[in-house]
Amino acid sequence: MACPNPGDLLMEEQGQMQSLKKISPNEVMEVGSRIYVPVSVIETKISKRFDTIPSGTLYPNADEIEYLQRLVMYKDSAIIVLNKPPKLPVKGNLPVHNSMDALAEAALSYGYEQGPKLVHRLDRESSGLLLMGRTKESIARLHWLFSDVNKAKSPLKTWNDACETTTQRYWALVIGSPREKQGRICAPLSKVLLNDGKTERVILANPSGVEASQEAITDFRVLGPMINGCTWIELCPLTGRKHQLRVHCAEALGTPIVGDYKYGWYVHKKWKQMPRVDIEPTTGKPYKLRRPEGLDVQKGSVLSKVPLLHLHCRELILPNIAKFLDILDRKSQNLPKFSSRPDVLRFVAPMPSHMKISWNLMSSYLV
């Protein structure tokens, strides 16, 4: 907004603006004119944080940087591990300034010349452990570690043993229950375009189809009984395909993840908030669900009409990259300086609030 009469008072006694008008991009401003910018695009301090960060500016402000740093669970000279909240994009396009890769340069450099780089991704709607490399050497090692190619053995036995322990474990709440309590899904995936010619979708590859496919392997384990039509399961991807876990759950197991409207839309069309009573499968007696005092049911849990995605990267096990980079650089296995540092690192991330509510309702509050 521009005021053509800078000498006039802009505010009346009642607090109302006067002599204001919109300006067009090609309009020439007069000397002394004032421009008023809407509050929505002004960088301001945000007093409270929830699950997402603001998107009102094109560059990260101090509050966004502080927020992202609070997500850091661990950092050393080689890696940074964060607990990503749901709805925070990992890889952003030009309009998405507040993605993890865009913010890392400013927020997570911690004195390094460059910010850390992503070595694996999580979907925007999912949550949990996210790993980033801090140096070229650590990024290369991590990409190699999470790649699907056959890995050549190193002369360093301790490094080989540590690499064998590398594991990612996800917890998910699915609609229905797998037929088997545990198993391995070996179901290649293909990418197809929908009828609009723009939207991409991942599907199980047709053995006789002409579309290119990629190998996709997932181990799964049922964590408990089905309650009110839903079951908690653990997923361990052995390959890293886009939407692998969501497609394997929905199409290979026939149990879409709660809140997955992309691959489980046909089930969510009939979604109902969790009822208060169900029958215990072994005894035939009814469960009694007790809601915690003050529980907010509109937080995307199973009590919500529109639940959020219940997929969380809970556990990550990997070699101590910082230690082994130092050892491998010195080509020695007998370095007392590094003997006290562990060969393997293990991280466990707490679930986001909507999954905690669902977990409590379906476990701790069952009597």
Side-chain angles (χ1 to χ4, degrees), residues 329-342:
D329 286 345
R330 290 163 176 77
K331 310 297 183 183
S332 173
Q333 298 194 46
N334 300 313
L335 295 174
K337 176 183 177 182
F338 304 110
S339 60
S340 60
R341 294 159 63 180

Side-chain angles (χ1 to χ4, degrees), residues 2-13 16-20 30-34 36:
C3 176
N5 301 312
D8 295 342
L9 292 176
L10 294 175
M11 307 296 290
E12 296 179 345
E13 293 181 0
Q16 298 296 322
M17 285 189 176
Q18 63 177 2
S19 303
L20 296 179
E30 298 178 5
V31 176
S33 295
R34 301 179 184 180
Y36 291 85

